[in-house]
């Protein structure tokens, strides 16, 4: 998941464009980008789109960010978006292991009502001081937790922490990465709000890459190429992904939904990531110029 493109839930005209983009994952949003009076409309639009056959067929990780657990919208969000085809639900404003367990109980009910075949994984936002302090416990809270996502904007802005101070960014990234490592889940870097600042985005992405993050969020299509370049997997990662994809074909033929590759249990989120890696590499091999910057350099 090198690149995760943010898609406002209230902008359905962007949904198909996002699906056709080079982003490895799409993150449809029901939270901050959707005004209160439009929550229901956005929810219905996302629910309809993720059920479409072309979305199911795409080699992309489909993520939906719900409204926070404490809001009245949370249960209604789950009723709409806890469906087959959604690989991860992105939970914002989580601050404890108990929050995760409460959310999982509601998700299980929604999955049962919607007859979901495979449990949906969780991507947990770490965006408050309390969540940062409890990040390892949050990541350990339930097997559904697949990853932690760092939200520097929410974490820094209320307290006047300088976003462009490298030491501040490194400290937060390191803490989240260590918590993810302790729990055996992935860490994903969050958004970079200054759309025109390619150098700033690249620098932050490179720091995340050095710390072992799997990818970075993109709030504008121009950031996708930057993320894909910085987080492009090496040869060993590509070969491992190919083994996962091949094993998935054998497992499907045998009627198995989960399987083991290289000593690791593989289910839908891991398979989607492997498919995205393989698809991106195959595309790069077929068209070596596709990932060049506008100035013609890599």
């Amino acid at each position: 998941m090198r690149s995760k493109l943010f898609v406002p839930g209230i902008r359905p005209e962007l949904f198909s464009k996002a699906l056709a983009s080079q982003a490895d994952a799409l993150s449809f949003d029901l939270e901050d980008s959707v005004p209160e009076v439009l929550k229901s409309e956005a929810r219905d639009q996302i629910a309809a789109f993720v059920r479409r056959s072309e979305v199911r067929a795409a080699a992309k990780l489909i993520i939906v960010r719900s409204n926070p657990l404490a809001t009245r919208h949370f249960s209604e969000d789950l009723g709409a978006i806890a469906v087959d085809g959604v690989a991860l639900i992105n939970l914002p404003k989580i601050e404890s292991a108990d929050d995760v367990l409460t959310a999982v109980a509601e998700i299980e009910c929604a999955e049962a009502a919607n007859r979901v075949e495979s449990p949906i994984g969780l991507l947990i936002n770490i965006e408050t001081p309390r969540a940062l302090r409890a990040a390892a416990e949050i990541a350990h809270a339930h097997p559904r937790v697949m990853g932690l996502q760092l939200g520097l904007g929410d974490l820094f802005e209320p307290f006047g922490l300088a976003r462009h101070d490298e030491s501040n960014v490194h400290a937060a990234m390191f803490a989240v990465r260590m918590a993810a490592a302790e729990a055996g889940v992935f860490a994903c870097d969050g958004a970079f709000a200054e759309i025109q600042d390619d150098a700033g985005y690249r620098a932050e992405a490179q720091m995340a890459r050095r710390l072992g993050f799997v990818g970075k969020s993109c709030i504008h299509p121009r950031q996708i190429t930057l993320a894909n370049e910085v987080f492009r997997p090496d040869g060993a990662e590509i070969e491992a992904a190919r083994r996962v994809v091949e094993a998935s074909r054998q497992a499907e033929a045998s009627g198995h939904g989960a399987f083991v590759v290289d000593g690791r249990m593989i289910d839908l989120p891991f398979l989607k990531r492997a498919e995205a890696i393989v698809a991106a590499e195959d595309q790069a091999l077929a068209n070596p110029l596709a990932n060049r910057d506008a100035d013609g350099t890599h």
Side-chain angles (χ1 to χ4, degrees):
M1 192 168 62
R2 304 165 301 170
S3 51
K4 180 170 70 64
L5 181 60
F6 177 86
V7 187
I10 203 60
R11 298 288 304 279
E13 72 277 11
L14 300 179
F15 292 1
S16 292
K17 292 180 181 179
L19 189 66
S21 76
Q22 297 302 309
D24 291 344
L26 304 182
S27 183
F28 296 93
D29 183 50
L30 286 168
E31 193 202 11
D32 288 345
S33 70
V34 181
E36 186 74 15
V37 296
L38 297 177
K39 296 288 189 184
S40 179
E41 181 179 343
R43 185 184 299 126
D44 292 344
Q45 289 169 162
I46 293 173
F49 186 75
V50 299
R51 287 178 168 89
R52 288 167 56 171
S53 59
E54 61 267 34
V55 178
R56 300 285 187 90
K60 290 190 188 297
L61 198 70
I62 301 300
I63 304 167
V64 181
R65 181 169 75 171
S66 70
N67 285 285
L69 176 64
T71 68
R72 63 184 180 87
H73 299 292
F74 183 69
S75 294
E76 293 180 1
D77 288 348
L78 296 183
I81 57 93
V83 296
D84 289 321
V86 173
L88 297 171
I89 294 175
N90 180 205
L91 297 181
K93 308 301 185 291
I94 294 294
E95 293 194 311
S96 69
D98 285 344
D99 284 349
V100 175
L101 296 177
T102 300
V104 167
E106 292 206 40
I107 291 168
E108 289 174 343
C109 291
E111 287 176 338
N114 293 337
R115 299 182 180 179
V116 174
E117 294 183 1
S118 299
I120 299 170
L122 299 179
L123 174 60
I124 309 294
N125 285 3
I126 303 299
E127 52 191 347
T128 68
R130 183 179 179 186
L132 187 62
R133 177 165 49 83
E137 289 79 6
I138 288 170
H140 269 298
H142 195 276
R144 285 181 185 251
V145 179
M146 299 293 175
L148 301 179
Q149 177 171 281
L150 178 60
L152 286 174
D154 288 286
L155 184 62
F156 284 4
E157 288 299 326
F159 310 104
L161 291 167
R163 174 66 181 269
H164 290 285
D165 186 310
E166 184 174 313
S167 61
N168 288 349
V169 174
H170 185 276
M173 283 188 180
F174 185 80
V176 169
R177 181 66 184 93
M178 289 299 96
E182 181 180 335
V185 303
F186 68 80
C188 182
D189 195 18
F192 186 83
E194 297 175 34
I195 295 170
Q196 302 298 323
D197 184 5
D198 290 355
Y201 183 95
R202 186 186 295 275
E204 201 166 274
Q206 288 171 335
M207 181 186 293
R209 171 70 169 178
R210 291 193 298 271
L211 287 170
F213 283 65
V214 299
K216 185 169 180 59
S217 296
C218 307
I219 60 171
H220 190 277
R222 69 178 290 145
Q223 295 176 337
I224 296 172
T225 297
L226 300 173
N228 286 348
E229 288 177 350
V230 171
F231 290 98
R232 184 177 181 182
D234 60 24
E237 291 175 286
I238 293 168
E239 288 308 309
R242 292 193 187 281
R243 289 195 294 274
V244 168
V245 171
E246 177 57 31
S248 76
R249 296 185 182 122
Q250 297 176 14
E252 183 177 2
S254 302
H256 298 298
F259 49 93
V260 175
V261 177
D262 299 334
R264 183 177 67 172
M265 194 276 287
I266 303 296
D267 58 9
L268 184 60
F270 294 100
L271 173 58
K272 285 292 188 181
R273 180 168 182 248
E275 288 175 338
I277 290 173
V278 170
E281 183 62 16
D282 287 348
Q283 183 175 29
L285 292 173
N287 183 10
L289 299 180
N291 288 325
R292 289 180 180 268
D293 289 330
D295 63 0
T297 61
H298 285 291

